Amino acid sequence: RPVREGRGGRASRAPRRHREMSLAVDKAVVNLLDRLRAKDLAEILVALRQSKQGNKAALKARVVGVCESEVLTRAAGGKHAIERVVTDVWYRFEGAKFCLSPGAAGGGGVKRTHGEYVSGLVRAARASSPKSLEELRKQRAAAAAVGALVASGGASFAADAVSSGIWARAVESDPFWAPHPVPNVASAPGVVMSPTRLGAKGVASRPFILSNAQAMLLRGKDSRSYQLQLQCVMNDDEVPARQHWPFLANVRVNDTPLPVMFRQPGSAMGKAGRDPPVSVPLGVAVEGRNVLSVSCADSRMFTVLMRIVKRRRAEEVKALVPAPVSFPNARAHLERSLSGGGSGGVPGADDSDDDLVIEDNAVLSLRCPISGLICKTPARTRRCKGLAAFDLDTYVSLNEKVRKWTCPHCGESGRPAELVIDGFLTRVLGVLRARGGDSASVSRVEVEPSGRWRPCPDDEGGGGGG
């Protein structure tokens, strides 16, 4: 750290103001954005793990927003990581004409050596904009550091894989709460406090900043749709996409205790268990600087994070389910499954035949195992080995309360993106409803390996199938 002479010739620390200014991205680096093209700005945003959509002005404003925000700067890996990304792209853009010999334009150019290439980058920087001697030294040092990466076209930004994984797990824990893009960070949308690991003694105390835009969002007309949530994830949890609070957890924000899932030591949460997040009300957390304190009596590794989320409606959650495959493809998958053809190409399914049982005909129930009613939209998880289905609407409504997102038949994980709408049973139900009368109440159908089906004899009301 920089020091200055104090009284009696002793060295003292630099003023606090100087140390705080060192956290900001260098203005000379920010000014380089004015000379870049839209594709270059998009490349920077990809390296910083942010959205690259929009025109040039929007892309530049997004990069500047990251550079000017302390929270976003830390989420992107720190000021030096951002400066490396920007200077890397700028050197490639401004120094491209120095990378080849004068005959390169005609196709006969020869690539220069690494030293000549870096020298070309420095000359490009000097020709583009006159700099002071100190700034030119910084540029030359940066060019020497990233020259190899520039020449190979590789990315110069390495994100924290652990923090990114923790954040993704927290986002996937409850699809009914969508991360709100305030601020808009692709890897951590809605970030208020980045993932913080509890210490060896199970204690963490960390300040966080609630910006004016975030506070206005929480107190606005639509404030019931938004929450400031504190979430906790166990690092080596056997169920990755769930929230898990440690034993004897205690949470305080600005010395105000908040209700949290309380669990005695020794009563570990089972595989089907789910913990709710801690909602931090506006008033306990204030605009500006706040302090979070978390303590527990658990030797396992836990990570806490804070984000702003928006409530999704059931229709929005169902919109996350992939579109159903066509009827011919669904029928072909069913035929392969009945004839012993394995998963039929369903992603994530097991193609091994160790436990395979081949039957002549299969009887499929049209009732949802959750509600007991005839399915309206039959669905199953991608990893289901059987052909049994459940009703999509009932399944989503159930998980709005229990947050388990597991298949009621086999217990496999079944989040919205992992569901498959059964195109074959959808066609069968459509035919039965179109016939009307007793056919609409058929609850089981018998399916042949060829794909032909008919209502089961005890449910028969409308004759043959298809």
Side-chain angles (χ1 to χ4, degrees):
R1 296 182 179 178
V3 297
R4 59 188 177 90
E5 280 303 308
R7 294 182 178 178
R10 291 178 300 178
S12 61
R13 298 224 177 258
R16 179 180 295 274
R17 179 172 176 271
H18 179 78
R19 295 201 303 270
E20 292 177 351
M21 289 179 62
S22 64
L23 297 176
V25 177
D26 191 350
K27 290 185 177 180
V29 176
V30 177
N31 292 337
L32 297 177
L33 301 175
D34 297 331
R35 308 185 184 97
L36 297 180
R37 302 164 296 181
K39 60 181 294 186
D40 302 320
L41 296 172
E43 183 179 353
I44 293 175
L45 290 170
V46 170
L48 299 181
R49 309 190 74 177
Q50 291 208 45
S51 172
K52 61 176 183 179
Q53 296 182 352
N55 56 22
K56 181 178 179 180
L59 298 179
K60 177 187 172 184
R62 198 170 299 140
V63 178
V64 173
V66 175
C67 297
E68 294 179 348
S69 172
E70 179 181 346
V71 174
L72 298 184
T73 299
R74 289 178 176 175
K79 58 168 289 186
H80 297 297
I82 297 176
E83 290 173 354
R84 284 199 305 270
V85 172
V86 176
T87 53
D88 182 359
V89 175
W90 183 80
Y91 282 137
R92 262 186 284 167
F93 170 62
E94 292 289 342
K97 55 181 176 288
F98 295 98
C99 297
L100 299 176
S101 63
V110 180
K111 289 187 177 181
R112 295 185 173 190
T113 64
H114 175 71
E116 294 173 336
Y117 177 71
V118 174
S119 300
L121 296 179
V122 175
R123 290 199 304 272
R126 185 185 295 116
S128 173
S129 176
K131 302 290 181 181
S132 65
L133 181 60
E134 183 64 24
E135 291 176 341
L136 190 58
R137 287 173 181 167
K138 292 181 180 179
Q139 289 183 358
R140 188 177 290 115
V146 305
L149 282 174
V150 171
S152 63
S156 62
F157 175 75
D160 188 347
V162 176
S163 296
S164 300
I166 293 293
W167 195 272
R169 289 166 57 185
V171 170
E172 294 176 1
S173 63
D174 191 352
F176 273 92
W177 288 105
H180 192 269
V182 179
N184 187 11
V185 183
S187 60
V191 58
V192 175
M193 187 188 76
S194 57
T196 302
R197 184 175 298 178
L198 299 184
K201 297 182 179 180
V203 178
S205 181
R206 177 172 177 177
F208 65 91
I209 304 297
L210 192 64
S211 66
N212 176 262
Q214 293 168 337
M216 292 294 292
L217 196 66
L218 296 173
R219 70 166 67 101
K221 295 181 180 180
D222 199 21
S223 58
R224 293 185 179 181
S225 300
Y226 297 93
Q227 274 191 12
L228 177 61
Q229 287 187 355
L230 175 67
Q231 300 177 326
C232 183
V233 175
M234 190 170 77
N235 291 21
D236 55 351
D237 199 338
E238 60 177 344
V239 183
R242 72 172 175 183
Q243 299 179 46
H244 192 161
W245 287 95
F247 299 139
L248 303 181
N250 182 26
V251 175
R252 291 176 176 268
V253 173
N254 297 331
D255 290 331
T256 302
L258 295 175
V260 62
M261 176 60 69
F262 187 83
R263 189 176 290 108
Q264 291 286 352
S267 57
M269 183 167 59
K271 187 176 180 180
R274 301 291 187 274
D275 283 346
V278 173
S279 177
V280 183
L282 193 61
V284 174
V286 298
E287 181 180 341
R289 188 178 185 274
N290 302 268
V291 178
L292 168 70
S293 299
V294 180
S295 62
C296 66
D298 203 323
S299 59
R300 296 173 294 179
M301 302 278 297
F302 290 87
T303 300
V304 295
L305 55 93
M306 191 176 294
R307 61 177 183 144
I308 288 182
V309 293
K310 182 180 180 181
R311 182 72 176 177
R312 281 192 181 118
R313 294 178 286 107
E315 291 75 13
E316 295 175 323
V317 175
K318 287 187 289 186
L320 302 176
V321 178
V325 298
S326 62
F327 174 74
N329 291 338
R331 179 169 176 168
H333 163 59
L334 181 137
E335 292 173 2
R336 286 192 296 268
S337 299
L338 293 180
S339 61
S343 66
V346 178
D350 186 5
D351 286 330
S352 63
D353 57 356
D354 295 338
D355 302 323
L356 186 62
V357 177
I358 303 177
E359 301 178 357
D360 292 336
N361 294 347
V363 176
L364 302 181
S365 174
L366 303 180
R367 292 189 181 275
C368 174
I370 302 172
S371 65
L373 303 177
I374 303 298
C375 294
K376 295 181 180 179
T377 307
R380 68 173 63 89
T381 66
R382 288 184 178 274
R383 298 179 181 177
C384 278
K385 297 180 181 179
L387 296 173
F390 50 80
D391 183 62
L392 178 62
D393 295 344
T394 306
Y395 180 78
V396 171
S397 299
L398 173 67
N399 285 282
E400 184 178 4
K401 303 173 184 177
V402 301
R403 304 182 303 277
K404 291 186 178 181
W405 298 100
T406 55
C407 175
H409 293 289
C410 62
E412 290 287 350
S413 175
R415 302 189 175 280
E418 300 171 331
L419 298 180
V420 177
I421 297 178
D422 192 323
F424 180 82
L425 290 183
T426 300
R427 172 70 70 87
V428 170
L429 289 168
V431 171
L432 293 174
R433 294 191 191 102
R435 290 176 179 175
D438 294 336
S439 297
S441 61
V442 171
S443 61
R444 296 187 304 164
V445 293
E446 185 178 359
V447 184
E448 300 176 359
S450 62
R452 294 183 59 84
W453 63 272
R454 58 181 174 271
C456 285
D458 54 343
D459 291 334
E460 207 168 343

